[in-house]
Amino acid sequence: MDKIMLDRLETIHARYEQIQNDLQNDEIISNLKKYTELSKEARQLEEVNKTFLEYKNTQKNLEEAKELLNEDDPEMVLMAKNEIEEANKLISELEEKLKILLLPKDPNDEKNVIMEIRGAAGGDEGNIFAGDLFRMYSRYAEQCGYKIEINDSNETEFGGYSLISFMIIGEGAYSKFKYESGAHRVQRVPKTEAQGRIHTSTATVLVMPEVDLSNTEMKMEDVTIEVYRSSGAGGQHINKTESAVRCIHNPTGIVVACQDGRSQHANKEKALQILAAKVHDYYVSEVEEKYGQERKLKIGSGERSEKIRTYNYPQNRVTDHRIGFTIQKLDRVIEGDLQEIIDALINEEQKEKLEAEM
């Protein structure tokens, strides 16, 4: 390990130890905001610190084993050689792990997620597939301990959604769902197909990190807010009051509607939150396009038109086209067992980042 990396790890270790001491301080314990900030920072440093301590301990064991090579006892020397071999192997593995842990973090990784799924090509089947994707993400989110809040939805006659907008709330949500933006393709016999023929349909997914309304490009004077009566299923409350809210960002023409909340105030708050995220995403994409930059070190461009994954039902196969990853577990994936695919995407992104660092 080079000196620069070693110094950086020593600094992180010192900072982690300082935070642990501070968290025992009565003054900080009584300051909820400060205590929360330090606790969050400690969690972010914990794995690096733990891995670094294991690295240092293994280095110490290696040096002690090397000293045993000078012993007269042949069995002791043989044992030392085995320990040296194991220690060197572990040190190499820990160094690689630390390199990954020290890679620059996406500042949005810890944020909540705003997602939109739309039925695209394939008519009713595209909408049904959009509903399948929503269920898949909902179940995966539940496995991760996250909460789902629906903002807006347009259910269709044959099931599924022409549009469903929702939030996934939980620490680190964006780090897991950020790879899902793009066009998802399904190949199967639709429920509406009488001849038993396989059709290809698509649904599009848009993933955005939640944006702080107090720190965004969106200005309230540029937003038009309209209220109207909610429509669709929802019991007696629906259609009796003008609780649904539509927000329009006039400079970009971006429109967001929210009607699933039980009050106009709740719907307005959610709609503005989603609008801010969409406006932020719009301007980020505009800057990248202007300067000819791709979304570097991210798997795919994140564009909604980019075909990212195919779900082939006859072969029980899921293929992620961005990294050439295929598994024959579609039946499990569509029920929310997404972790294997997410891990493969994370590993590929880490690989790209390591290559860029080098």
Side-chain angles (χ1 to χ4, degrees), residues 87-226:
N88 279 325
K89 182 182 177 183
L90 182 55
I91 286 168
S92 179
E93 291 172 356
L94 291 171
E95 282 185 353
E96 288 304 308
K97 184 178 180 180
L98 286 166
K99 284 178 185 177
I100 290 171
L101 290 172
L102 290 175
L103 287 172
K105 297 288 190 296
D106 185 333
N108 294 317
D109 272 354
E110 297 305 309
K111 294 183 179 179
N112 297 330
V113 168
I114 295 169
M115 292 184 74
E116 275 188 4
I117 306 174
R118 294 175 183 267
D124 293 327
E125 172 63 6
N127 296 332
I128 292 169
F129 181 50
D132 293 339
L133 290 177
F134 171 64
R135 186 185 64 189
M136 177 182 77
Y137 291 132
S138 298
R139 293 188 176 181
Y140 177 60
E142 185 179 339
Q143 292 170 22
C144 296
Y146 299 150
K147 180 183 174 184
I148 294 272
E149 285 186 2
I150 296 175
N151 303 314
D152 191 21
S153 61
N154 296 324
E155 295 185 50
T156 58
E157 181 182 355
F158 292 99
Y161 303 92
S162 59
L163 161 71
I164 183 162
S165 170
F166 55 100
M167 286 189 70
I168 300 174
I169 302 167
E171 191 172 305
Y174 186 73
S175 69
K176 288 182 168 61
F177 287 89
K178 64 182 177 180
Y179 305 103
E180 296 304 301
S181 279
H184 294 243
R185 183 174 68 173
V186 63
Q187 295 172 329
R188 65 184 177 188
V189 178
K191 296 175 183 176
T192 53
E193 167 60 50
Q195 305 296 324
R197 293 171 298 187
I198 294 173
H199 287 226
T200 298
S201 306
T202 60
T204 60
V205 177
L206 178 63
V207 181
M208 300 166 290
E210 185 181 13
V211 174
D212 185 352
L213 281 172
S214 64
N215 185 26
T216 176
E217 302 91 334
M218 187 177 78
K219 299 175 182 176
M220 287 308 300
E221 57 263 33
D222 293 332
V223 178
T224 298
I225 299 174
E226 302 172 350

Side-chain angles (χ1 to χ4, degrees), residues 294-356:
E294 295 180 5
R295 297 191 178 192
K296 294 180 179 178
L297 303 179
K298 289 181 70 174
I299 303 299
S301 66
E303 293 298 323
R304 189 181 286 186
S305 60
E306 180 192 13
K307 182 184 74 177
I308 65 166
R309 196 175 296 149
T310 294
Y311 305 74
N312 184 293
Y313 275 73
Q315 298 178 26
N316 197 34
R317 185 185 74 231
V318 181
T319 299
D320 196 290
H321 304 289
R322 295 163 294 180
I323 58 175
F325 180 79
T326 297
I327 53 173
Q328 308 288 139
K329 300 177 183 177
L330 186 149
D331 54 334
R332 289 166 55 182
V333 169
I334 207 68
E335 292 300 322
D337 192 1
L338 268 173
Q339 196 59 54
E340 191 173 348
I341 297 175
I342 300 296
D343 287 343
L345 290 161
I346 290 172
N347 290 338
E348 184 63 27
E349 185 172 49
Q350 288 173 345
K351 180 183 172 184
E352 288 183 12
K353 284 182 176 180
L354 280 172
E355 290 173 356

Side-chain angles (χ1 to χ4, degrees), residues 24-69:
Q24 306 302 315
N25 187 306
D26 290 339
E27 190 176 327
I28 288 176
I29 291 172
S30 62
N31 185 333
L32 181 60
K33 183 180 178 182
K34 186 65 176 177
Y35 187 85
T36 302
E37 287 174 356
L38 288 175
S39 297
K40 183 178 179 181
E41 187 180 353
R43 287 195 300 272
Q44 291 171 343
L45 299 178
E46 186 173 12
E47 189 175 3
V48 180
N49 183 68
K50 181 181 176 182
T51 307
F52 180 49
L53 291 179
E54 185 181 358
Y55 171 83
K56 289 177 73 174
N57 187 54
T58 307
Q59 283 280 20
K60 181 182 176 183
N61 292 340
L62 175 62
E63 295 306 316
E64 290 175 353
K66 284 180 178 179
E67 291 178 5
L68 294 176
L69 292 175

